[in-house]
Amino acid sequence: MLDLSNGFSGFSVADVPAARAFYGDVLGLDAEERDGMLVLHLAGGRNVLAYPKGDAHTPASFTILNFPVPDVPAAVAELRGRGVVFERYEGTPTQTDEDGVFRGGGPLIAWFTDPSGNVLSVIEDE
């Protein structure tokens, strides 16, 4: 019987070395270049694949990765200290405060982008 339970997600990037530097050096993830692609090794043995598209890359219009954290404002402050710039949304249902944190109901969340413009978040781990 076919077993598809070991699936994993992937997304495109414009530049694999830039993605490796961001995900590995800035975010501190276990990021391995393999066969021209980037494999992010996440907790629980989960992997995510970032594959190159070069100039054909178009950033995802949705959040591609969410990182659960116990304290979103503290995570924002730490990542900002590493050079991460957080998105600011104004006049929308996801309006953020001056720190880039959404506090409009539900878990606290703050969005940022990778070097290819893909949207990521730190989200309160309830």
Side-chain angles (χ1 to χ4, degrees):
M1 175 176 230
L2 179 63
D3 179 4
L4 301 177
S5 64
N6 287 319
F8 61 92
S9 68
F11 58 90
S12 72
V13 295
D15 181 295
V16 169
R20 203 236 36 92
F22 179 76
Y23 287 98
D25 300 338
V26 176
L27 298 185
L29 298 175
D30 182 0
E32 171 191 11
E33 286 189 57
R34 187 188 310 157
D35 299 322
M37 296 180 278
L38 182 68
V39 178
L40 303 176
H41 302 286
L42 303 177
R46 294 174 300 196
N47 293 328
V48 175
L49 177 69
Y51 53 90
K53 284 190 80 177
D55 292 339
H57 170 73
T58 301
S61 61
F62 52 87
T63 307
I64 62 163
L65 280 174
N66 296 285
F67 299 102
V69 296
D71 184 337
V72 169
V76 167
E78 182 172 334
L79 289 171
R80 191 170 273 135
R82 298 181 194 179
V84 173
V85 176
F86 284 84
E87 298 296 299
R88 291 288 312 275
Y89 300 117
E90 295 184 18
T92 68
T94 56
Q95 183 163 324
T96 57
D97 65 15
E98 63 279 352
D99 290 325
V101 178
F102 170 71
R103 300 173 187 270
L108 297 183
I109 187 168
W111 295 275
F112 58 101
T113 60
D114 71 6
S116 295
N118 294 310
V119 179
L120 315 168
S121 83
V122 287
I123 185 167
E124 186 175 56
D125 185 14
E126 297 183 79

